[in-house]
Amino acid sequence: LDKVVQKRAREIDFYIEFENNEGLNKFSEKMKEDGNRIVRIQIGKCEGEGEYPNALVNIRVKDRDRMNVFFAEIRHLTYVRFVEEL
């Protein structure tokens, strides 16, 4: 049932870490360029070795047929340190 719901969902929640604040800005711009809409975003800073921005994000994707490659594409962005679907 979860797989069916996920396949049909247009909104996804995920956690993402960026190399720096510029990466966060680039990510927001890329989502807009791709036609995806950021519904909610909660921004924070990681603690420990180096401080880098992170975010909890809810995105409404333009094309749900591309959901299977959405995270693969995000993982390959140079300014993204880590991403995980929630």
Side-chain angles (χ1 to χ4, degrees):
L1 182 61
D2 281 344
K3 296 264 186 206
V4 173
V5 170
Q6 268 185 329
K7 188 175 183 178
R8 296 196 178 267
R10 290 195 67 186
E11 288 190 10
I12 50 174
D13 295 305
F14 58 95
Y15 171 79
I16 187 168
E17 295 175 358
F18 302 95
E19 292 292 336
N20 51 41
N21 288 331
E22 185 180 338
L24 175 60
N25 294 334
K26 287 180 180 179
F27 173 77
S28 295
E29 290 170 12
K30 176 159 180 42
M31 292 299 103
K32 288 178 189 174
E33 288 171 7
D34 291 351
N36 301 317
R37 184 171 65 99
I38 297 175
V39 177
R40 275 187 313 275
I41 186 166
Q42 182 180 350
I43 301 168
K45 282 237 183 226
C46 293
E47 295 180 11
E49 281 187 44
E51 291 186 10
Y52 44 89
N54 64 38
L56 293 172
V57 184
N58 174 270
I59 287 189
R60 184 172 199 60
V61 295
K62 177 182 175 183
D63 184 3
R64 75 173 170 221
D65 293 334
R66 297 197 74 241
M67 291 288 277
N68 59 339
V69 296
F70 182 81
F71 286 105
E73 290 176 354
I74 290 176
R75 282 186 183 95
H76 287 95
L77 298 173
T78 58
Y79 47 84
V80 171
R81 291 175 54 97
F82 177 79
V83 64
E84 180 176 29
E85 185 175 7
L86 301 176

